[in-house]
Amino acid sequence: MVVGRAGELAQVRRLVAAAASGRGGVLAVLGEAGVGKTRLLDAAAAAAADAGLLVLGGRAVQGGGSYRAIAEAVVGRLDAPAARGSAAVRPYLPALDALVTGGAGPAAGVPAADPAVVLGEGVLRVVRALAEAHTGCLLRLEDLHWADEDTLAIVGYLAAAVVDRPVLVAVSCRDEPAEAAVTARLRTLPGTTTVHLRRLGEADVAALAAACRGGRPLLPEDRRDLYARSAGLPFLAEELLAGSDREVPPSLAALVAARLEALDAAGRTVLHAAAVLGPDPDWRLLAPVSGVPDADVVAALRRAVDVGLVVRANPAGLRWPHALARDAVLATLLPPERAGLAARAADVLAGRAGPDDEPRAAELYAEAGRPRDAAAVLLRLARRAAGRGALHSADALLARAAGSAAGPETIAEIVGERVSVLTLAGRADEALALGDARLDSLTGDAHAELCLRLARTAVTAARWTAAEGYVERAGRPRDPRSTVLRADAAFGAGRPDEAAALAAEAIVAAERADAPAVLCEALGVAARTTWQTDLAATAAAFRRAAQVAAEHGLTPWRVTALFGVGMLEALDGDEIPTLRRARELATDAGMLAQLASIELIESDHVLHTRGPGPAGELAGRAADAAERLRLPQLRAQALVQVAAYRAAAGDVTGAAEVLAATGAGASGANPFRGFATAMGALLEHDLQRAVVEMDPTVPLVRRDRGIVLLTPVGLWVLLRTASDDRGAEARAQLGAVSGGLSRTIRASLDYADAVLAGRSGRLVDAVAHLNAADAALAGRPWWRRLLRLVVWECAVADGWGDPVAGLRADLAAHHEAGDTHLERACRDLLRRAGAPTRRRGDTVVPPRLAALGVTGREAEVLAFVVRGLTNAEVAERLVLSRRTVETHVASLLAKTGAASRRELGRWVDPA
């Protein structure tokens, strides 16, 4: 029952009602032990159930390990069809399943998102999937003062994510000095309502007593006495009331001691063992821990239930009535008694080695004064936590293990594991500093192993020289890991030929050592060294890596290798079955960073085949996923492609806005950035300005062999050929590495050769190159039409081929596809060729302009005016007189009420 909490209950009901209406949030109930936090959460759960919300709950416990509360809340529901069959949940199932099964963690060298973020999003999606038949969900997580760092990170993620969703996250935590950091963190979560429970006043304690006594109030003297002895703590008041038929001791400790005295010696030993085992003692362990026979254990527990020391817990367990009760039982033990019981309990738990046993075993070994045993258990726990993705917890466990009096071999293992965990957590600087501090104290295999782990960290952090130094210090040249790390470092440092030789050596060494993971990594390095010079070799290396990974069950490497094959497929072919296969595997494996990368590559392919609209949808999804998963570099790349596709759709202003939002993460040689900025100039037939826009971001061949040649490189070469005499140099550079060019880029070179031949009067050659390019891009119609826009402009200017027929064919295709911006550019060129087209009344006037009486011709004029063209330039584009354009502009100003040409811009939709 909840007494004296009218204001708090009102807040709870308000939050539940808000969640039911789609406005979620966080309820943080804080207060000292025994003050009634659980009672208030019970009231929240009851209100949620009444409002039609699904109620899920979990509780952190002392020594409960990583994600204990989260696992208890959702794991039992993962097999429900609503969760297991949800497409939204599917990519997150591996992370969610690892809450129970553990996991191997990501493979070295395979990019991965922050595990806590992945799990947080997975929990949110499961909650939403399960709650589809309800009005929402209440996720109840208790006793977070005992929660691990990763659980708190998930709560933080959920707090930011549920604001506009029908989910209320209700948590409880002790608000005491030892938990100050946790409570401060909970108070500052976004969208959090904090309820701080104070002790009850005398009148409220009296009301509680009356409720416990079936409505019979206490006498004034008894009421004052109960209030004084309970100090306003509801739990303690109820416990004291429970002893009202006997002489009531003056405190909870005395009350518990009196109840223990009601047991015989064996019974007290059983209860002491239960208290040492923890907040949720398993009755099956009490006999081996206490040394009391099973039959006597059962009798002792029955008596303990009778006197109120423990209570029944569904479905088949026992629990303490409150953490304070357990604390009071522990307080009756002398230190040596507690240490002896702790040692026996630790041995029993460690021997059983269940997922909930070892965390407590480690604590008990420490209590028993056996630090080496504690360190060994903590090391196992850290490895399991890292496999689950609980990197913060793993690091905390390893730090505890390192602080124990473990032997040198164990310490070496601990340091090595911690280097790996810190690296996975994106804390490479800390990992390197930690490893460097320990290296000189190690010898032999321990020293070599740590050196190789530090080399891996240095590669991850792009510290190529440091990586090579660590490999040299390891002194294990025959270890295939040494060779593949050197290959990776050489490639990163810009020495691809050396990297290729080392990768080949690593492949042989890995085969000899039967090290399939290292072999996959070496094949991956080999593939990257040839992707600008020999795409066939790159594809062969990736295919072999995929086969090796499949044979040995190395799913992360298999996805990575298939992604490599699929990327080449998307660059070179008209179909992308391997990329889609990689997507399916990545989805099933929960490789979310790779999923976003796959969507980006697929978006480029879709641009070429179906146009910028559907391509932009894919790239936008990838950008959203990268933002959600906190992958800034991938998000920046995705936004650059979103900008490129908006520009390709004619929304030059929108493209500029997206580029401005990408930040520094998108800087560097990214051909899509140049494509995004050049598209406006291309549509205005300003080919020289288009080249200038692309020049800073389209890398020359061999300038950076770490960048695969994407299709905008071909557009850049075509534009350069069409606009000035420097195109020959660009074409020659690409021609020198023809084995590294996709069919799409080779088609661009054919178009460039057609332009050059036509300009030189070699008309037969020009048409031959044009036909070859057209044939090569038959399966990529949108990209072909874009490139032909440049070719036709040159053909009109230089007088070769049959540009009018080609333009008319493309005009019809643009019109059918709804590409009005390309259609307009095509009409411009037809007018230049002396073959203006008759208007078919197909100019679409936006509804708000049509309502003002704006005509189709005026809408065309408006489109050019807002792009900054003068009246004379607009007249030239539309084949009108300057006076006619002036009349249209004046009419637009009058109809819209705009005061100037600049103000007309607000009447143009950005899309």
Side-chain angles (χ1 to χ4, degrees), residues 277-291:
L277 277 169
D280 290 313
D282 186 339
W283 59 267
R284 292 166 295 187
L285 302 180
L286 292 175
V289 173
S290 67

Side-chain angles (χ1 to χ4, degrees), residues 30-37 173-176 196-197 199 233:
L30 310 179
E32 63 184 299
V35 79
K37 299 184 295 296
C173 180
R174 288 184 183 175
D175 188 13
E176 297 172 0
H196 190 281
L197 296 183
R199 296 189 181 196
L233 286 175

Side-chain angles (χ1 to χ4, degrees), residues 214-303:
R216 295 181 295 110
L218 287 175
L219 295 174
E221 181 180 349
D222 293 336
R223 183 181 68 186
R224 288 192 296 273
D225 183 59
L226 178 63
Y227 173 67
R229 282 183 287 133
S230 68
L233 286 175
F235 166 72
L236 183 50
E238 291 183 351
E239 287 296 298
L240 293 171
L241 284 167
S244 59
D245 293 336
R246 303 181 295 275
E247 181 180 353
V248 180
S251 69
L252 179 63
L255 175 63
V256 170
R259 292 177 179 177
L260 279 172
E261 286 300 318
L263 307 181
D264 58 19
R268 289 193 291 276
T269 299
V270 169
L271 264 291
H272 287 145
V276 167
L277 277 169
D280 290 313
D282 186 339
W283 59 267
R284 292 166 295 187
L285 302 180
L286 292 175
V289 173
S290 67
V292 174
D294 286 332
D296 294 337
V297 167
V298 173
L301 291 175
R302 181 170 293 280
R303 180 61 176 153

